[in-house]
Amino acid sequence: MKKIEAIIKPFKLEEVKEALSELGIEGMTVTEVKGFGRQKGHTEIYRGSEYTVDFLPKIKIEIVLNDDLVDNASNAIVKAAKTGKIGDGKIFISTVEEAIRIRTEETGDKAV
Amino acid sequence: MSNLLSRLACVGAFVVLSAVPASALESKPTPTVEQRLAAMEAYFQNTDPAAALVDANGKTPAGLTTPAVGVPGPGHNTWMMLSAAAVLFMTLPGLAIFYGGLVRRKNVLSVLAQCLGVTTLVTVIWWAVGYSLAFAPGGGALGRIFGGLDYAFLRGVTSVPNCAYSPWVSHNVYAMFQMMFAIITPALIVGAVAERMRFQAILTFVGLWMFVVYIPITHMAWGVDGLMNGVWNPHAAIRAIDFAGGTVVEMASGWSSLVLCLIVGKRMNYGKELFAPHSMVFCMVGAGMLWVGWYGFNAGSAVAADGVASNAFLTTTLAGAVASGTWALAEYFVRGKASVLGFCSGIVAGLVAITPACGFVNASGAMLIGILGGVIPFLAVYKLKAWFKYDDSLDVFGVHGVAGTLGMLMTGLLADVAVNPNLAGVAAQANGLAKLVNNGLWIEQLKAMGLTFLVATVGTALVAYAVRAMMAVRITPEEEHSGLDLSEHGEEGYIL
């Protein structure tokens, strides 16, 4: 069992969601987040006052899935979320020890 | 004395007056008490005071005038200044806040900015040549469609009434009243392409659209020698009637909106995401402001504080209120719930439908228009849009286009000469309109509607493709996602 955490540009969410659905991935958790990487922030001016925008809005998608789906899923996310410009985001993959479906109390792969 | 004869007489009187040499003025004739009284009574009749000075030969003796001639009448002028202000209030903030509430929160400022941008742009156009091209006498064949340049840069548009449009309202007040109509009409179109069109592209579109669509339709419907000005132009080719802008404002904006939203294309993720209004409270506040402002729009279109205006005040109220409830009721039957958006949409649809009719139909006619004005636009918004899958963001076509078209037709069927004697006035007698009332007037209305439809759709397509050739019309998907407030205007509506 693995967890994929993908930080993407907000306007790419719909495309990423569709790409993952096509792979048969049945669920995901999405959070609106703010952050920066190498893209950094930028300076803007409003009514004569200069200010820096450090944290840019991003979307974080979390999916937990069986090991054999991980490569396809991460490839699909890259393909759908890529614009080629700085700020496209990152994908982190980690191992998950256990999953439990609350309603049925199933565990492991069956609960994912 | 009929309105039109008096209007012509007024123009004649001014020509005579201005041609009088200085020597003649020294020994100018004095009016009789009867003439002075008649000139003052003309104020109550909303007729031309100069008509009282005409002698048995139909001429005004050189230099003869009274203090009532060549000045605005206080009551009529007051009403028209208030009406003009009320019509501006419909746009700022009425329509802006109505539209602002209907979009998502990330786009609220963009529609406000678009309404503000349209207001300032149209004001400059109106001052330069817009008013003149719409309302100056045209002369010749092209003059039925466009006015001349007599009033360019508002030259000669002073506080003295222009009898072609009103014997008692200052010409400059009339020009400003009409300017408010010229502002709200393109501002309405903004709603059809909300949440996706570039600010510069919208303003460029509006700047061109005013000349290609708004000005010709206005001159044809309301210009003194307009092609389809049945009530006031004795030579009107189409004897149609449009009291407050069924063609000029509602059909022009509605049909143009449909064409423009098809050319601009759908919003990103249309049909996948719910584009719910971000503030129904704003929407309701805006709809209420529109309703109040509409009294200036409709009753003000009498261009006098007279009996016709009183009737328009009544019919406007009835149709707006009835359509609001009808829309909500229809929604209750279809969805099981009556929504605030339904009540508000019904208000606007009913007011649109009564717009061309308000000064021509009686209370019963207004009730019928109110019911149809609630049901038919409701069906357009709920069914037609779903079938054809066009993304008219804020239903400008469904409400203004459909209800405006309906209202024009109903005006032809329900016009009542007892409500508005001008339907049998001198111009209406001369061009044959008087005989058509209750007797086939709806066919003339269909001709005017067809012409308006053609000018609006073809004109909008030409202008929209021209703008698309000049610049990017759409914002990028990334900007569309983050919202037009930030990407186009660099500010946010709410920082909470």
Side-chain angles (χ1 to χ4, degrees):
Chain A
M1 250 183 313
K2 301 278 189 199
K3 177 159 89 167
I4 296 181
E5 281 174 281
I7 316 284
I8 60 166
K9 285 188 169 176
F11 82 105
K12 286 290 188 182
L13 175 61
E14 193 65 29
E15 283 171 61
V16 170
K17 190 196 85 182
E18 277 171 21
L20 291 171
S21 301
E22 278 170 26
L23 293 178
I25 290 168
E26 288 168 335
M28 63 187 71
T29 306
V30 172
T31 323
E32 289 181 7
V33 295
K34 284 187 168 188
F36 65 89
R38 276 191 288 176
Q39 182 185 9
K40 291 282 181 354
H42 56 278
T43 331
E44 287 188 9
I45 295 174
Y46 187 70
R47 284 211 162 211
S49 314
E50 202 174 1
Y51 65 101
T52 51
V53 182
D54 288 331
F55 296 100
L56 298 167
K58 298 284 168 189
I59 291 282
K60 183 168 81 172
I61 303 174
E62 289 169 275
I63 325 161
V64 176
L65 67 188
N66 300 337
D67 294 1
D68 54 345
L69 272 170
V70 170
D71 284 349
N72 283 343
S74 52
N75 287 339
I77 294 172
V78 168
K79 210 173 149 198
K82 192 172 196 163
T83 67
K85 291 185 198 136
I86 198 155
D88 272 353
K90 286 195 173 68
I91 297 175
F92 305 107
I93 299 169
S94 51
T95 304
V96 173
E97 289 187 3
E98 184 58 293
I100 304 164
R101 175 171 282 124
I102 293 174
R103 177 172 56 88
T104 58
E105 296 179 38
E106 289 164 294
T107 56
D109 282 353
K110 278 181 285 180
V112 173
Chain B
M1 177 129 215
S2 77
N3 257 352
L4 185 91
L5 261 189
S6 60
R7 286 175 181 208
L8 294 176
C10 172
V11 176
F14 278 107
V15 172
V16 171
L17 280 176
S18 58
V20 172
S23 57
L25 280 173
E26 286 160 14
S27 59
K28 66 180 181 184
T30 49
T32 64
V33 173
E34 280 74 18
Q35 285 176 317
R36 293 177 62 181
L37 187 62
M40 280 173 63
E41 281 178 345
Y43 177 58
F44 293 94
Q45 299 295 319
N46 188 32
T47 54
D48 180 9
L53 306 174
V54 176
D55 65 17
N57 302 321
K59 287 183 180 163
T60 306
L64 182 64
T65 185
T66 87
V69 171
V71 293
H76 297 307
N77 215 33
T78 303
W79 167 236
M80 291 314 294
M81 284 189 274
L82 290 174
S83 289
V87 180
L88 179 64
F89 188 71
M90 287 173 75
T91 307
L92 299 176
L95 183 72
I97 213 83
F98 178 72
Y99 279 178
L102 286 174
V103 296
R104 289 166 287 174
R105 60 178 282 170
K106 61 188 178 183
N107 296 321
V108 58
L109 295 183
S110 72
V111 290
L112 305 193
Q114 287 159 13
C115 288
L116 289 164
V118 165
T119 304
T120 180
L121 173 67
V122 171
T123 300
V124 175
I125 292 175
W126 207 244
W127 160 77
V129 288
Y131 176 64
S132 191
L133 290 173
F135 286 96
L142 185 65
R144 306 284 173 86
I145 301 167
F146 283 99
L149 290 170
D150 301 13
Y151 307 144
F153 302 102
L154 300 183
R155 189 174 51 221
V157 179
T158 65
S159 300
V160 175
N162 174 356
C163 290
Y165 297 109
S166 165
W168 291 104
V169 174
S170 288
H171 194 188
N172 48 19
V173 171
Y174 182 74
M176 289 300 99
F177 176 69
Q178 285 298 343
M179 185 175 87
M180 304 318 177
F181 282 64
I183 288 170
I184 197 167
T185 308
L188 286 166
I189 300 176
V190 159
V193 289
E195 306 195 296
R196 60 196 186 277
M197 197 165 164
R198 234 176 235 297
F199 188 60
Q200 298 93 306
I202 285 193
L203 289 190
T204 310
F205 171 83
V206 168
L208 295 171
W209 183 87
M210 290 304 291
F211 291 93
V212 176
V213 177
Y214 187 80
I215 287 171
I217 293 178
T218 305
H219 188 73
M220 286 193 287
W222 293 339
V224 63
D225 52 358
L227 183 72
M228 53 190 196
N229 185 354
V231 181
W232 299 114
N233 178 7
H235 308 293
I238 299 174
R239 282 83 47 96
I241 60 175
D242 178 1
F243 195 79
T247 53
V248 176
V249 177
E250 311 302 351
M251 284 188 68
S253 65
W255 288 99
S256 297
S257 290
L258 179 63
V259 173
L260 185 63
C261 82
L262 289 171
I263 293 173
V264 170
K266 294 171 188 176
R267 284 168 289 180
M268 190 171 75
N269 295 334
Y270 179 78
K272 292 178 194 159
E273 276 178 52
L274 174 65
F275 299 141
H278 91 280
S279 172
M280 276 314 302
V281 177
F282 275 0
C283 173
M284 188 276 163
V285 172
M289 288 174 174
L290 281 168
W291 191 345
V292 172
W294 226 294
Y295 290 113
F297 194 92
N298 278 3
S301 286
V303 203
D306 64 355
V308 176
S310 308
N311 183 78
F313 201 101
L314 168 92
T315 53
T316 299
T317 311
L318 295 180
V322 169
S324 177
T326 307
W327 186 304
L329 200 62
E331 219 178 22
Y332 177 77
F333 285 125
V334 173
R335 296 173 58 224
K337 289 191 174 86
S339 71
V340 172
L341 181 55
F343 276 109
C344 293
S345 305
I347 289 173
V348 178
L351 293 170
V352 167
I354 198 68
T355 288
C358 60
F360 297 121
V361 302
N362 55 31
S364 311
M367 293 297 285
L368 182 58
I369 289 175
I371 292 167
L372 294 175
V375 172
I376 294 176
F378 168 81
L379 293 173
V381 167
Y382 274 77
K383 301 290 175 194
L384 202 64
K385 194 172 62 169
W387 285 336
F388 291 104
K389 296 193 178 359
Y390 51 89
D391 185 13
D392 175 3
S393 312
L394 310 183
D395 292 312
V396 188
F397 171 69
V399 173
H400 295 268
V402 172
T405 307
L406 167 76
M408 276 300 289
L409 183 64
M410 296 308 293
T411 306
L413 295 170
L414 298 170
D416 180 355
V417 73
V419 164
N420 191 329
N422 297 323
L423 287 170
V426 171
Q429 300 280 1
N431 63 30
L433 167 64
K435 287 204 188 86
L436 291 170
V437 176
N438 297 326
N439 183 26
L441 176 58
W442 64 277
I443 297 172
E444 296 293 299
Q445 295 294 93
L446 280 184
K447 291 182 198 167
M449 289 153 67
L451 188 56
T452 304
F453 166 80
L454 272 181
V455 174
T457 52
V458 176
T460 298
L462 288 175
V463 172
Y465 283 119
V467 173
R468 213 164 72 166
M470 283 187 269
M471 62 180 73
V473 166
R474 296 274 305 228
I475 51 170
T476 66
E478 189 164 2
E479 289 169 330
E480 194 172 334
H481 187 277
S482 63
L484 277 73
D485 292 2
L486 273 175
S487 66
E488 290 288 274
H489 306 286
E491 49 190 354
E492 288 177 88
Y494 309 93
I495 298 179
L496 301 173

